Amino acid sequence: MHASADRASNQTQRKGGLTPRADDFPRWYQEVVAEATLAETGPVRGTMVIRPWGYGIWELLQRALDDRIKAAGAENAYFPLFIPESFLKLEAEHVEGFAPELAVVTHAGGKQLEEPVVVRPTSETVVNSFFAKWIQGYRDLPLLVNQWANVVRWELRPRILLRTTEFLWQEGHTAHATEDEARAYALRIFHDVYVDTMESVCAVPVVTGHKTARERFAGAIRTWSCEGMMGDGKALQMGTSHELGQNFARAFSIQFTNDTGTLDFVWQTSWGVSTRLLGALVMAHGDDFGLRLPPALAPAEVVVLAVRDEPDVRTAANALVAELAAAGRRVRLDDRFHLGFGRRSVEWERKGVPLRVEVGPRDLAEGQVTLAIRHLRTKAPVPLTGVATEAEQVLDTVARDLSAEAAAFRAARTADVATVEEAVEAGRTGFARLPVRALGPDGEDRLARESLSVRCLQRPDGTVAQTDTDEASLTAVIGRSY
RNA sequence: CGGGCUGUGGCGCAGUUUGGUUAGCGCGCUGCGUUCGGGACGCAGAGGUCCCCGGUUCAAAUCCGGGCAGCCCGACCA
């Protein structure tokens, strides 16, 4: 009954054919993911198909991360998808953390398996069972390995791109001779790979710090996390780097002879980021008209849109594509004349292409083209001769603008508070910064009852705290999380 | 796993309350033509196990029973 009425009233409010972000954020999110052709749900609950446009973004993100991971000295390798169930049980906290969400294979090859096999939810256990073989002496250290893989976690409540049953990620695993070295490496990855990628590639400012014991990775002694604020004020954990201490080393007997000849357990780290970041891009930068991509992650930074099917227009459009490609831009030609101009504009807008170059007869008569800037939704004429230069200048501003906008939004929704009650209030719409002292021993329980959590602990000035810092001197960043 | 909602051409829905011609509408798709600078228009056309199983009935998308699936909201997680 009301369905049609609702739909009709929606139509009047919808901009760009999407539910306005402010009206219904979750719905808007799903529509953008679908309309920007990033991903859609698969046939099995919680699974997803990442479509070419979404995968193109992922590939750019992968490259950005992979370059940084390699610069930090880690090498890529690949470990098996299937893990003996017994491996998971070797580290007590680890199994406790992951048991509820394991997919277990009990039958294969037409018969029941003697030992069930789990589909990896993460690879600490297999990786470390091999580290135990590969590490003998201190000269084998540090061992720095990364893998790009899919993992499976049977989540109770899937959300496309943010929490899917199967997702793609990168997981790094390292072993070191000393605790200090392991900690330094976990932090190096955290800052040089994760925070740098989030901020300079994704253009999403992040809050950094370490997790409370309650929020820590199962099996870690310390978890560093970067948390972004999404467009609804909620927090998204975008990447974590863990210091594992000797927990897994003891569980998997990863021992080495140190430089004084005595046997010791290695000190380890693990760290990962996932396709969840695609969801973060949508929620951090998207607007009522769709996705807005920073150029570094845009499969097409520029689309040259030929307005009409005329010889001069085609010639000019092709020349522009060639010119922009020569200038090093990822560029596409849109000469789908069977679709109207508006339809094509809307499509690129939804997909978040940062810049469109519109070329039509009217432009050419004036010796110009029109630049349409996605994130501002503005248009400006530019002389035909200066397009590549102008495009370059515009693209240079995009990530900075998106970043600044996100930072301003976060600042407006972050409050320094003095009590848990004030934190509860502020946490409804954004982040609350509360001295750990004021949080107290029962603070996290109180927050949990309000669907809030401590996203991370940091120094009052926002920087990451040294491990030996007195926690009571730190600040808790509190928010609702995805 | 609790609460709510929903399963009908590719997508979004109407029809179910009160069982009854050939299951409709919008979008999309195909063809032709006219259009073309912000989601074009006309004409023609294709496309359906009405989620599944069972039951009631002369007759079921519609009623009854049982399943299954999806979405949203909460607790758990990248």
Side-chain angles (χ1 to χ4, degrees), chain A residues 311-389:
Chain A
D312 288 354
V313 173
R314 302 183 81 113
T315 305
N318 282 313
L320 283 167
V321 168
E323 184 187 349
L324 288 161
R329 315 302 340 187
R330 284 184 296 280
V331 56
R332 289 192 196 185
L333 173 66
D334 185 349
D335 59 356
R336 296 172 299 169
F337 300 112
H338 63 282
L339 296 177
F341 171 81
R343 178 164 295 274
R344 291 188 283 154
S345 304
V346 166
E347 183 183 316
W348 295 119
E349 198 162 58
R350 282 182 175 172
K351 287 186 165 180
V353 170
L355 184 63
R356 293 195 308 279
V357 179
E358 300 173 357
V359 197
R362 268 180 358 219
D363 288 306
L364 294 180
E366 305 286 328
Q368 66 185 37
V369 297
T370 302
L371 293 192
I373 302 170
R374 169 63 184 93
H375 74 294
L376 303 172
R377 294 192 84 249
T378 57
K379 289 193 185 192
V382 171
L384 196 47
T385 50
V387 175
T389 317

Side-chain angles (χ1 to χ4, degrees), chain A residues 174-463:
Chain A
T174 71
H176 307 261
T178 67
E179 179 171 24
D180 284 351
E181 190 188 307
R183 176 174 308 130
Y185 197 76
L187 279 167
R188 177 175 179 189
I189 292 291
F190 184 69
H191 285 115
D192 296 357
V193 180
Y194 293 163
V195 176
D196 187 50
T197 302
M198 307 304 158
E199 299 199 326
S200 68
V201 180
C202 300
V204 177
V206 288
V207 169
T208 57
H210 64 272
K211 291 290 190 184
T212 60
R214 181 191 192 108
E215 302 281 333
R216 202 185 280 152
F217 175 75
I221 63 170
R222 178 156 280 208
T223 291
W224 280 281
S225 174
C226 24
E227 307 271 333
M229 183 185 281
M230 303 296 105
D232 58 354
K234 288 170 79 171
L236 183 74
Q237 181 173 305
M238 294 176 66
T240 46
S241 183
H242 314 292
E243 203 186 325
L244 302 176
Q246 294 178 309
N247 290 345
F248 286 89
R250 292 181 196 281
F252 288 88
S253 299
I254 314 178
Q255 288 179 296
F256 70 104
T257 309
N258 66 24
D259 55 5
T260 61
T262 52
L263 212 50
D264 201 357
F265 288 107
V266 296
W267 297 84
Q268 297 192 273
T269 77
S270 73
W271 24 279
V273 301
S274 74
T275 37
R276 165 178 277 190
L277 290 180
L278 299 180
L281 288 172
V282 174
M283 293 196 296
H285 296 319
D287 65 11
D288 282 349
F289 301 89
L291 182 58
R292 299 189 298 172
L293 285 169
L297 294 177
E301 296 168 280
V302 190
V303 163
V304 174
L305 199 157
V307 175
R308 295 186 58 155
D309 189 7
E310 294 177 9
D312 288 354
V313 173
R314 302 183 81 113
T315 305
N318 282 313
L320 283 167
V321 168
E323 184 187 349
L324 288 161
R329 315 302 340 187
R330 284 184 296 280
V331 56
R332 289 192 196 185
L333 173 66
D334 185 349
D335 59 356
R336 296 172 299 169
F337 300 112
H338 63 282
L339 296 177
F341 171 81
R343 178 164 295 274
R344 291 188 283 154
S345 304
V346 166
E347 183 183 316
W348 295 119
E349 198 162 58
R350 282 182 175 172
K351 287 186 165 180
V353 170
L355 184 63
R356 293 195 308 279
V357 179
E358 300 173 357
V359 197
R362 268 180 358 219
D363 288 306
L364 294 180
E366 305 286 328
Q368 66 185 37
V369 297
T370 302
L371 293 192
I373 302 170
R374 169 63 184 93
H375 74 294
L376 303 172
R377 294 192 84 249
T378 57
K379 289 193 185 192
V382 171
L384 196 47
T385 50
V387 175
T389 317
E390 190 67 28
E392 198 83 19
Q393 284 171 10
V394 170
L395 287 170
D396 279 348
T397 66
V398 176
R400 199 160 52 235
D401 287 355
L402 290 176
S403 230
E405 202 179 311
F409 178 80
R410 188 183 70 183
R413 294 230 189 177
T414 300
D416 281 287
V417 298
T419 67
V420 174
E421 295 315 308
E422 288 172 2
V424 165
E425 188 53 38
R428 287 189 222 285
T429 54
F431 292 170
R433 302 184 76 252
L434 177 73
V436 168
R437 235 177 251 113
L439 182 62
D442 302 328
E444 283 189 274
D445 286 336
R446 168 82 181 99
L447 293 173
R449 286 196 293 278
E450 304 290 338
S451 301
L452 291 167
S453 55
V454 174
R455 305 317 305 153
C456 66
L457 303 177
Q458 57 180 209
R459 287 184 178 136
D461 68 0
T463 58

